[in-house]
Amino acid sequence: MPHPVRFDRIEAVGVITLDNPPVNAFSLSQRIGVSEALTAGLQDPDIQAFVICGSGRMFSAGADIREFDTGVAGESPTLMDLISLIENSPKPVVCALHGTALGGGCELSLACHSRIAIPGTRIGLPEVTLGIVPGAGGTQRLPRLIGVLPALDAIVSGKPMTAEKAHELGLVDGLADDSDDLLKISVSIAHRLSIGPEPPKKTRDRDGHLLEAQNRPELFDEFRSRISRRARGFEAPFACIDCVEAATTMSFENGLAFEREVFLRCRSSNQSLSQRHAFFAEREARKVSGLGPETSQTDVRHAAVLGCGTMGTGIAMCFANAGIPVIVTESEQGMLDRGMKMIRKNYASTVSKGRMTEEEAEARLALIEPTLEFERVSAADVVIEAVFEEMELKKKIFTRLDGLCKADAILATNTSSLDVNTIAAVTGRPEQVVGTHFFSPANVMRLVEIVRGDHTSPEVLATTLTLSKQLGKVGVVVGVCDSFAANRMLYPYSRQAQFLIEEGAFPEQVDKVIYDFGFPMGPFALSDLAGIDVGWRVRQHREPSRPKHLRYSEIADRLYEMGRYGQKTRKGWYNYEEGSRIPMPDPEVVDLVVRTSRELKIDRREISDEEILQRCIYPLINEGARILEEGIVQRASDLDIVWLYGFGFPRYRGGPMFYADSVGLRHVYEVMQGFCEIHEDWLEPAPLLERLAREDKTFAEWDTE
Ligand code: ZOZ
Ligand code: NAD
């Protein structure tokens, strides 16, 4: 296979162009290509310097992550070999950055003798998001170039910085106007360095920036405690700090060896396997059967949101945040005013936290136009309905939309449980109807379940997927079923949590187990946040059709009757002090729980943390297996994405289906079977789970069957 690298000459400068689409990842063949080009150029007396640049959209996305699992990443020349060749080259090497320079791509640039970039280029070390540390010298060279604290910020957050910021910090030496200018400037700097009196300066020797941290070593512990909440449960952020600290206490060579050891340890950890799975799962979710590059899409330039309540306000903000003008409409002026007030309050709070300037907030607000003139929806390319969860009301609204909207407008519903096909059927264009199930708060939560109706056209589906990305969301396509994928899996989870407290646990014990597992909060704290009244309304809609033997715990109904709606009333499963979101156990709830057990003639017992974990998590996996088998989602990893972005399932566990694979489906099946014998029969293992367990297979294998 030809190596995906081009080599050209501009006078005495050898220009090495990475040409490995789509992201110029440093696969073995790209590494060989660069290494051969450099070696040849080093031997060529007519070449005095090099420029390394990338073709296509970007410089490079870093090491080829797929090679991590095959061992090819360790084959010669490794990225470290290449980087060492560059840094030790007697002929200067200049790196020309555009688009994106991440991970190993950024690390390679750090070893060059100068870096030039186009403004807006995103440069960074996102390895931490894959559960690893930068493994090709990034933790040793970045602090030497920009200082220890800025390097810690960049490496531990994994967030790329713009070329402008990198220029300010000294990572980038110069900015170029465009790609022609980039090459011109890079070649001229390479030439200048080659005729200078000094040999090229090596980043490894630039120790000046380390002094500050060497004089104040406690800054590392301060940094550890600063991130302890945000990075709870994750190993890689702390491993990154250890490596940067090593840069200040060890020689460069020893620091590099330390980084290598930590990199290899992290790479083989379950956390990194899980986080790498999450990375690829997110990209797989964009591949939807029936859609391809040839599927045409429409441009969304104007949007409309119907209903300015909890969800409508958040969805309208999503459009404004993405720069898309949006009208919002309501049934009456009072509701519209209330909704707009909520939106203004939201932006004001972001401004007060310093996350947005007042001007930015004003500019976004200016994109949201409230109106009571329903007819104005006729100009919208997409309409998202977010009115009450009532089928008759939704049918009425879609009938009106059908009469008013442009022929190619997308008609979307934000319903959380109603049948999208029934809604689509009232229109004369069911192919234009789709579900867009946002999660609350819609301007914050990243998941959108995109519900594909029986007649939804590929164009509408593709446009909606693109739109979700434009809005900064992660869209996952799901089929029509009661409550779709996320909430359908949530029900057995919260149901079991409540049975557990009838049997002997208390909300704080259950919540602690789930929190320690890595969720941002447990099921009871979540229920207080979402609103016990909201859950009650859902049950009114769902439960009448549920067979008697499939009962649910009624403790939540009692709380509802007591007016304990959760955080909004400062009383729910817990008490909350004015202005605080910290849950505090309440003896009144303890009494209610114990009384309920007595009424149900249940002898309360000690319940282990292990049982709590399995009783909550395995049933949701089991429901996931049913969803998979019914074809509601295309692959198990889609359900992982749903849970990572919808409910904060710990990313370092990869999502529920990946987690099930890692603990073993046979084990999950046997435990479920045990639950089923002792408890309710709706805990019966799903047929797919049973089959895979018997065949000793995983959900991942089922995906590729
Ligand atoms: O793709 C986005 C991105 O963020 N990529 C990952 C960036 C990253 O995390 N880089 C760090 C890699 S780890 C590393 O570099 C290790 C290291 O320090 C040293 C290792 C030493 C090894 C020694 C071993 C002994 C990006 C922002 C770049 C572009 O986003 P887009 O939305 O435009 O495009 P995507 O994400 O849809 O990507 C297009 C296709 O490319 C695949 N891909 C992306 N980055 C890759 C990669 N494949 C392999 N390796 C990468 N680094 C991506 O999966 C997608 O593929 P398809 O098949 O879904 O199209
Ligand atoms: P909400 O009660 O907060 O808001 C609904 C709004 O729709 C109200 O302001 C109401 O005045 C308005 N409305 C009613 N009839 C209207 C009409 N004819 N024209 C225009 N506006 C009208 O409800 P919500 O929580 O925002 O839920 C809206 C939809 O989103 C529902 O379908 C719900 O199932 C779904 N959903 C809710 C959540 C959640 O957590 N709240 C999450 C996902 C999806």
Side-chain angles (χ1 to χ4, degrees), residues 462-521:
T463 306
T464 311
L465 263 164
T466 303
L467 176 65
S468 64
K469 201 173 173 194
Q470 264 175 288
L471 300 185
K473 304 291 172 194
V474 178
V476 176
V477 174
V478 301
V480 175
C481 68
D482 186 10
S483 301
F484 317 123
N487 284 341
R488 194 173 142 184
M489 288 165 80
L490 184 71
Y491 294 137
Y493 162 84
S494 25
R495 208 176 284 264
Q496 284 305 314
Q498 297 191 21
F499 284 154
L500 281 163
I501 65 169
E502 283 183 352
E503 290 168 38
F506 286 103
E508 57 272 28
Q509 185 194 357
V510 176
D511 277 358
K512 181 169 185 317
V513 170
I514 297 299
Y515 179 81
D516 289 346
F517 181 73
F519 275 93
M521 65 187 84

Side-chain angles (χ1 to χ4, degrees), residues 363-383:
R364 291 181 195 199
L365 264 169
L367 290 172
I368 306 176
E369 189 192 344
T371 176
L372 281 184
E373 294 168 42
F374 192 90
E375 295 69 22
R376 298 264 318 275
V377 297
S378 61
D381 303 305
V382 60
V383 181

Side-chain angles (χ1 to χ4, degrees), residues 305-315 328-332 334-336 338-339 342 371-372 374 385-390 393-394 396-397 400 413-418 436-442 484 487 530 534 537-538:
V305 174
L306 312 181
C308 205
T310 309
M311 296 306 289
T313 49
I315 297 170
V328 289
T329 168
E330 258 290 347
S331 51
E332 50 179 274
M335 301 308 276
L336 196 57
R338 200 192 61 159
M342 227 144 78
T371 176
L372 281 184
F374 192 90
E385 166 278 309
V387 303
F388 299 133
E389 185 76 338
E390 290 166 19
L393 176 62
K394 300 218 189 239
K396 221 161 77 192
I397 287 197
R400 269 189 93 184
T413 171
N414 188 50
T415 179
S416 34
S417 58
L418 301 177
T436 47
H437 183 215
F438 287 76
F439 285 69
S440 179
F484 317 123
N487 284 341
V534 174
R537 252 178 250 118
V538 171

